[in-house]
């Protein structure tokens, strides 16, 4: 995928991604996420992914996007794909690793697209 197209896709998703965060009450959002609420999982992931409330943590964002995506949450599927497409860097044990995995990106973009998520299409 060319870099200009990827940049455009990511810019289009930023406005919806910011809407998907736990700005009001992170603790309450986390409780709901831990109880399996896919929308809360998506919002918590966005909080970690975009550093809302000073909580930037890509590893946690990946974890919560994946949980929501596996429940069929289209926005989470798209954002999980975006994390794999851009290659966010996470600390894994004793070293930093890239999440870049184009096969995973396509897999999650496709799942979101199949649900009618326009940006993924």
């Amino acid at each position: 995928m060319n870099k200009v197209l990827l940049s455009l896709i990511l810019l289009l998703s930023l406005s919806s991604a910011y809407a998907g965060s736990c700005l009001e009450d992170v603790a309450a959002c986390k409780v709901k996420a831990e109880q399996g609420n896919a929308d809360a999982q998506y919002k918590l992931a966005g909080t970690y992914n975009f550093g809302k409330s000073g909580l930037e943590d890509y590893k946690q964002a990946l974890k919560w996007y994946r949980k929501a995506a596996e429940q069929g949450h289209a926005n989470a599927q798209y954002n999980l794909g975006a994390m794999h497409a851009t290659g966010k860097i996470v600390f894994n044990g004793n070293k930093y690793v890239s999440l870049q995995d184009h096969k995973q990106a396509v897999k999650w973009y496709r799942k979101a697209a199949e649900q009618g998520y326009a940006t993924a299409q």
Side-chain angles (χ1 to χ4, degrees):
M1 178 179 296
N2 95 29
K3 289 182 182 183
V4 173
L5 179 60
L6 180 58
S7 295
L8 282 172
I9 291 170
L10 293 175
L11 284 173
L12 288 172
S13 70
L14 284 179
S15 61
S16 65
Y18 282 120
S21 62
C22 300
L23 294 178
E24 65 288 346
D25 187 349
V26 176
C29 189
K30 189 169 186 178
V31 167
K32 289 179 184 176
E34 289 170 343
Q35 292 172 344
N37 181 299
D39 194 51
Q41 291 169 342
Y42 164 71
K43 288 179 179 180
L44 185 59
T47 301
Y48 285 118
N49 193 26
F50 296 103
K52 296 296 184 179
S53 304
L55 294 175
E56 185 174 78
D57 182 335
Y58 296 139
K59 192 172 182 181
Q60 285 295 310
L62 180 73
K63 169 188 170 180
W64 291 109
Y65 278 142
R66 184 173 305 281
K67 286 182 179 285
E70 288 173 348
Q71 291 188 69
H73 194 288
N75 291 6
Q77 290 169 339
Y78 175 80
N79 282 293
L80 183 56
M83 287 190 80
H84 284 297
T86 60
K88 295 277 190 177
I89 305 295
V90 299
F91 187 72
N92 190 14
N94 60 354
K95 64 180 180 175
Y96 286 93
V97 296
S98 171
L99 298 174
Q100 192 165 48
D101 182 335
H102 295 292
K103 287 181 182 181
Q104 284 294 308
V106 169
K107 170 187 171 179
W108 291 109
Y109 283 149
R110 181 172 286 127
K111 286 182 179 287
E114 288 169 351
Q115 293 190 69
Y117 193 81
T119 308
Q121 292 171 344

